[in-house]
Structures are given as C-alpha cells and as structure tokens.
C-alpha cells in the first residue's frame, strides 16, 4: 500500500473500514477491489465522487460495468504481481512428463 501514498491522499485498507465501505465511498475518488468486494449497483449508488475502480487481479466480474459506466466511472484491472506467466510455465512443466511418455 505504500505505492499509493501521495501527499493529500487518504488511503484506507479493508481492515480500517469497520464495515462502513458505503460511508467512506461517498467521498472517495478511487476504489481498489479484490474478488471479495462486489462493486454492484447497490454499492455504487453511494459513490458520489468516484472516478475510477481498479481491480487488483484478473478480470472485472465482481464489478457492475453497466452501473459504473452509467455513473461515468472508469473500470480497469491489473495483473501486476500476479504470477500468470509463472503459472502457465508451471502447468506446462507438470504436463511435460505425460507428453514425453506418449
């Protein structure tokens, strides 16, 4: 989270929200979610200033794209720090003995 700390920015993590995401979302400019948070229309109705939702991980299936688009909120995801290539390499490595045996 240190990468997000900039002068004038307030960064809250999940453990600091005390179950009050909707309250904090009213004054937020950005929201970063993982798969546990469902950014659906009901949640986004509390987003008065939100400009961007970032999904830390693969895909955006937990974000209501129609609701975000309707509110003018940009949605993006990042695979940074996700070992996708390493996972593919491992999968191929584990299959190699089976392929070689044929």
């Amino acid at each position: 989270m240190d990468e997000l700390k900039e002068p004038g920015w307030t960064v809250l993590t999940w453990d600091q929200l005390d179950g009050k995401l909707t309250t904090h979302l009213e004054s937020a400019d950005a929201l970063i979610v993982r798969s546990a948070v469902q950014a659906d229309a009901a949640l986004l109705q509390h987003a008065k200033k939100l400009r961007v939702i970032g999904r830390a991980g693969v895909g955006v299936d937990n974000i209501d794209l129609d609701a975000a688009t309707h509110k003018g909120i940009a949605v993006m995801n990042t695979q940074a720090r996700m070992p996708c290539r390493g996972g593919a390499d491992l999968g191929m490595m584990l299959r190699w003995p089976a392929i070689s045996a044929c």
Side-chain angles (χ1 to χ4, degrees), residues 44 47 49-53 65 67-75:
L44 295 180
K49 298 175 40 183
L50 201 63
R51 294 184 286 169
V52 64
I53 300 172
L65 297 177
T69 300
H70 181 71
K71 291 185 68 78
I73 300 169
V75 176

Side-chain angles (χ1 to χ4, degrees), residues 14-73:
W14 183 255
D15 57 321
Q16 296 170 313
L17 294 176
D18 294 324
K20 298 178 183 170
L21 176 58
T22 56
T23 302
H24 291 289
L25 196 56
E26 290 177 0
S27 61
D29 292 302
L31 175 65
I32 300 173
V33 298
R34 301 273 321 211
S35 57
V37 174
Q38 295 297 313
D40 55 16
L43 179 67
L44 295 180
Q45 74 180 1
H46 299 280
K48 308 297 182 206
K49 298 175 40 183
L50 201 63
R51 294 184 286 169
V52 64
I53 300 172
R55 165 73 162 94
V58 179
V60 291
D61 56 323
N62 60 320
I63 300 169
D64 186 332
L65 297 177
D66 290 333
T69 300
H70 181 71
K71 291 185 68 78
I73 300 169

Side-chain angles (χ1 to χ4, degrees), residues 74-89:
V75 176
M76 60 191 72
N77 72 322
T78 178
Q79 297 175 18
R81 299 184 187 195
M82 298 290 290
C84 295
R85 170 89 198 270
D89 292 346

